Amino acid sequence: MNYLTNACVDLLREVRIKNPLIHNITNYVTVNDCANAILAIGASPIMADDVAEVEEIVSISSALVINIGTLNQRTITSMIIAGKKANELHVPVVLDPVGAGASSLRNKTTQEILSEVKIDIIRGNLSEISFVAGLSASTKGVDTSKADERNDAEAIAKSVANKYSCVVGITGQVDVISDGIRVAKVANGHKLLSKVTGTGCMTSALVGSFCSITKDYYTATVTGITAMGIAGEISFIKTREMGTGSFHIGIIDTLSNMNSTYFVERAKIDETEY
Amino acid sequence: MNYLTNACVDLLREVRIKNPLIHNITNYVTVNDCANAILAIGASPIMADDVAEVEEIVSISSALVINIGTLNQRTITSMIIAGKKANELHVPVVLDPVGAGASSLRNKTTQEILSEVKIDIIRGNLSEISFVAGLSASTKGVDTSKADERNDAEAIAKSVANKYSCVVGITGQVDVISDGIRVAKVANGHKLLSKVTGTGCMTSALVGSFCSITKDYYTATVTGITAMGIAGEISFIKTREMGTGSFHIGIIDTLSNMNSTYFVERAKIDETEY
Amino acid sequence: MNYLTNACVDLLREVRIKNPLIHNITNYVTVNDCANAILAIGASPIMADDVAEVEEIVSISSALVINIGTLNQRTITSMIIAGKKANELHVPVVLDPVGAGASSLRNKTTQEILSEVKIDIIRGNLSEISFVAGLSASTKGVDTSKADERNDAEAIAKSVANKYSCVVGITGQVDVISDGIRVAKVANGHKLLSKVTGTGCMTSALVGSFCSITKDYYTATVTGITAMGIAGEISFIKTREMGTGSFHIGIIDTLSNMNSTYFVERAKIDETEY
């Protein structure tokens, strides 16, 4: 077991003790799963998106997760106001640029958020992060396009991390996490994860949960992403041919049972320092 | 078995026969669970929140449940207009003041609804109801705060019930229901219920379902709250170490199978008259 | 096995190969289930409803599904703009007039959409389609009313199909699909399907998925409706007395495992040509 797996286990233990409050401004497709994933890992979710309350809610929270999955004008304003307040209070901000590359609204909003708010962690798929990197992404709806699969995730993660002085997590067959210098690769997960809506959103919610209890956002991001990968693997072992409905429930089940043994036995985290 | 348990069993039988329509103006986090809980217990849900239709919808409904879980300006207006119409038509109104005490918007809205609409039943956790009672609540997001756990639920329930001439249901380790004179305590439930989002919202939806078929809102509130407590107990027995995803599904399963035997064997309802 | 069952099996195989993108403007009650049903059957969902992006999203999609389950002014505009763009690009449009007949807003919106947008497929229950037919429907919330159960589904389906030059799918104990000339009746399904919210919405989402890969909307609609019926039957066999929570998950499970054997062994599709 390497030092990163060790550090993940520590964060996992700590989040369950501290039970931090995580503020989510998110989409209405996967919001229930995000709330339940946050509860399952040991944190406490609050979903609030009205401009009249987001500053107050972020003030009592330990992390803010901004997810642009079902954008509308009303919530864009809330995202930015909440993000600025979080910056002021040194509350970490996670951005999940769902579908960036798929519409001008998503592109413009992603750029607006990135220019108005200091984002601490960006978590997305390769198409979305390619767009953030300034590459011409060809996002297929909210999924990674075949064309983008050829992009070099490691180089893109480092480039975006340096551009925005943040941690970047690109999830895919192998997940890549970088703070601009270090690069971790996580080989956990299962292909069925792409057959359940919201596994990306839940991953961002987990990343937010772990970032709320440490300043080491790089390790926290590795922890959140690895936890979801392991949850996918174990859920598949338990549900097999049952189908994607049971697999979905199995993900939440596994997150609620996530423990050091799972990490020690299963985490496939590799790191290269540069 | 005491007379209250008996009365619960009668309401349970009746709701399945009458299949009343329950109008919900609610949040987008737990709305699917609320609809499925209402169906499971034998009623019929309709979710409608546009100001252009809420009066008509409440006119064909047998109860209105107002839940402020994800407030925004658009739906606040709808809540009040629907509430006034419900009052006019003598349709019972349940208020679930989710997160009252956690932001000025939630506080102001709770007070506005309580002053504009005659609320028949208020269902919340101890922090939320403490706020309604005029105590300085320290709601932790949408959960009861540690500080508020020391408050005297029984005194608060009675005080709020008298202040607003309504029935109050405070859910917690022991649930307390009061109409201002009578106080019932329900010792059902399971601690895992706090690890699934929406169990409070679902409880309010069940309370609305039972209040739609009787004028005895006190008994109806006891029935809804006890049903959720029993659902938590049985779901835990059936799902055990599986995790919170399966426990969540087990709650809906148990509600759909809820019957007199479950109540007779498990209901722990104590009543003190004053 | 008749030719229609054969054609269904072909579409089922094809949707999994082509993995088309399906744009949904839908309600926040059942949106997660719709996305997961679309993924389970082999297509890819995108939910987007802001007026600033719906034209672009529909331009990269292979079908548009408009569902009026939780209407509000903001999304009504988006529905019409997206629908017009879909028409321009020959992207098929499915309308699910949830609760038509239950409020003036739903009635007016249904009529407005039908007059502004060329709808290719209308999928609803008998009360909703009776309203569309110009009959005085007495929709009970979002469910078919007892009064409407006496209406002649076959005549209504044909009449609406001719009126709007579209395919009509009326789901109920026996589902009726018509293109104005042909009429197919599907005797699959299970009564528990009415005890889980969103089974109608999911059916419309499946219909959209199949219509995205063929110009033969009649067969595509038969396929989507039959798939849901079979999913209900098999889910019931697998979950039995467990309850409606497990039955719900079993529907998604079965959709993800849906295959030619299920269709060959179970599809009860009868067709009368006129």
Side-chain angles (χ1 to χ4, degrees), chain B residues 158-219:
Chain B
K158 284 183 72 177
S159 143
V160 172
N162 282 309
K163 187 171 173 188
Y164 294 104
S165 308
C166 68
V167 169
V168 171
I170 301 178
T171 48
Q173 207 172 344
V174 172
D175 311 311
V176 177
I177 297 96
S178 179
D179 61 359
I181 298 166
R182 292 173 292 179
V183 177
K185 293 189 179 179
V186 179
N188 292 103
H190 190 277
K191 66 181 195 301
L192 263 194
L193 285 166
S194 67
K195 292 297 176 193
V196 173
T197 194
T199 52
C201 303
M202 285 189 259
T203 303
S204 296
L206 295 176
V207 166
S209 302
F210 290 112
C211 287
S212 75
I213 52 163
T214 177
K215 293 278 173 209
D216 180 359
Y217 302 150
Y218 171 74
T219 303

Side-chain angles (χ1 to χ4, degrees), chain A residues 53-250:
Chain A
E53 75 169 346
V54 291
E55 288 180 296
E56 252 180 300
I57 298 295
V58 88
S59 302
I60 56 168
S61 300
S62 302
L64 170 65
V65 181
I66 297 175
N67 174 307
I68 69 166
T70 52
L71 271 184
N72 62 63
Q73 289 307 328
R74 187 177 69 75
T75 51
I76 293 171
T77 310
S78 300
M79 289 169 181
I80 289 169
I81 286 178
K84 282 176 186 287
K85 188 69 181 184
N87 285 170
E88 198 186 309
L89 300 170
H90 305 292
V91 170
V93 184
V94 179
L95 174 64
D96 186 334
V98 184
S103 84
S104 311
L105 180 69
R106 288 170 197 246
N107 297 353
K108 225 186 59 179
T109 303
T110 300
Q111 281 164 334
E112 195 182 346
I113 293 172
L114 282 165
S115 74
E116 299 277 328
V117 178
K118 165 75 186 78
I119 297 296
D120 299 294
I121 305 98
I122 309 178
R123 205 288 319 160
N125 64 37
L126 189 51
S127 282
E128 291 155 353
I129 306 297
S130 294
F131 169 79
V132 174
L135 303 174
S136 61
S138 46
T139 310
K140 187 199 165 191
V142 293
D143 299 318
T144 301
S145 72
K146 290 251 176 284
D148 290 331
E149 275 174 11
R150 286 186 292 269
N151 290 349
D152 177 354
E154 186 171 331
I156 290 171
K158 284 183 71 177
S159 144
V160 172
N162 282 310
K163 189 171 171 188
Y164 293 103
S165 309
C166 68
V167 169
V168 171
I170 300 179
T171 48
Q173 208 173 343
V174 172
D175 310 311
V176 177
I177 297 97
S178 179
D179 61 358
I181 298 166
R182 292 172 292 178
V183 176
K185 293 189 180 181
V186 179
N188 291 104
H190 190 278
K191 66 180 194 301
L192 263 194
L193 284 167
S194 66
K195 293 295 176 194
V196 173
T197 194
T199 52
C201 303
M202 284 189 260
T203 304
S204 296
L206 294 177
V207 167
S209 302
F210 290 112
C211 286
S212 74
I213 53 164
T214 177
K215 292 279 173 207
D216 180 358
Y217 301 150
Y218 170 75
T219 303
T221 303
V222 170
T223 310
I225 287 175
T226 307
M228 179 54 76
I230 292 174
E233 294 174 6
I234 292 180
S235 177
F236 182 73
I237 290 170
K238 297 208 169 158
T239 64
R240 293 271 172 190
E241 278 76 32
M242 291 176 75
T244 55
S246 294
F247 177 73
H248 179 180
I249 301 305

Side-chain angles (χ1 to χ4, degrees), chain B residues 3 74 81 124 131 137 161 183 206 218-219 235 241 252 265 268:
Chain B
Y3 89 98
R74 187 177 68 74
I81 286 178
F131 168 78
V183 177
L206 295 176
Y218 171 74
T219 303
S235 177
E241 279 76 33
I252 303 287
E265 290 181 354
K268 295 182 194 147

Side-chain angles (χ1 to χ4, degrees), chain B residues 4-261:
Chain B
L4 260 174
T5 305
N6 250 326
C8 291
V9 167
D10 287 343
L11 287 178
L12 184 63
R13 190 178 301 118
E14 209 175 319
V15 77
R16 296 196 189 276
I17 293 166
K18 292 196 175 162
N19 186 229
L21 189 64
I22 313 300
H23 180 188
N24 299 267
I25 304 182
T26 189
N27 68 74
Y28 59 80
V29 185
T30 68
V31 59
N32 185 265
D33 285 330
C34 288
N36 278 323
I38 288 171
L39 281 165
I41 210 66
S44 227
I46 184 160
M47 276 59 187
D49 63 21
D50 195 81
V51 70
E53 73 168 346
V54 291
E55 287 179 296
E56 255 180 299
I57 298 295
V58 87
S59 301
I60 57 168
S61 300
S62 303
L64 170 65
V65 181
I66 298 175
N67 174 308
I68 70 166
T70 52
L71 271 184
N72 61 64
Q73 288 307 327
R74 187 177 68 74
T75 50
I76 293 170
T77 310
S78 300
M79 289 169 181
I80 289 169
I81 286 178
K84 282 176 186 288
K85 188 71 180 180
N87 286 171
E88 198 186 308
L89 300 169
H90 305 292
V91 169
V93 184
V94 179
L95 174 65
D96 186 335
V98 183
S103 83
S104 310
L105 179 69
R106 290 170 196 245
N107 297 353
K108 224 186 60 177
T109 304
T110 300
Q111 281 163 333
E112 195 181 347
I113 293 172
L114 283 165
S115 74
E116 299 276 329
V117 179
K118 164 74 185 80
I119 297 296
D120 299 295
I121 304 98
I122 308 177
R123 206 290 318 158
N125 63 36
L126 188 51
S127 281
E128 292 156 353
I129 306 297
S130 295
F131 168 78
V132 175
L135 303 174
S136 62
S138 47
T139 309
K140 186 200 166 189
V142 293
D143 299 318
T144 302
S145 72
K146 290 250 176 288
D148 291 330
E149 274 173 13
R150 286 185 292 268
N151 290 348
D152 177 355
E154 187 171 330
I156 290 172
K158 284 183 72 177
S159 143
V160 172
N162 282 309
K163 187 171 173 188
Y164 294 104
S165 308
C166 68
V167 169
V168 171
I170 301 178
T171 48
Q173 207 172 344
V174 172
D175 311 311
V176 177
I177 297 96
S178 179
D179 61 359
I181 298 166
R182 292 173 292 179
V183 177
K185 293 189 179 179
V186 179
N188 292 103
H190 190 277
K191 66 181 195 301
L192 263 194
L193 285 166
S194 67
K195 292 297 176 193
V196 173
T197 194
T199 52
C201 303
M202 285 189 259
T203 303
S204 296
L206 295 176
V207 166
S209 302
F210 290 112
C211 287
S212 75
I213 52 163
T214 177
K215 293 278 173 209
D216 180 359
Y217 302 150
Y218 171 74
T219 303
T221 303
V222 170
T223 309
I225 287 175
T226 307
M228 179 54 76
I230 292 174
E233 293 173 7
I234 292 180
S235 177
F236 182 73
I237 290 171
K238 296 208 169 153
T239 63
R240 293 272 171 189
E241 279 76 33
M242 291 174 75
T244 56
S246 294
F247 177 72
H248 179 180
I249 301 306
I251 292 168
I252 303 287
D253 276 347
T254 311
L255 289 175
S256 71
N257 293 324
M258 189 61 61
N259 57 33
S260 55
T261 310

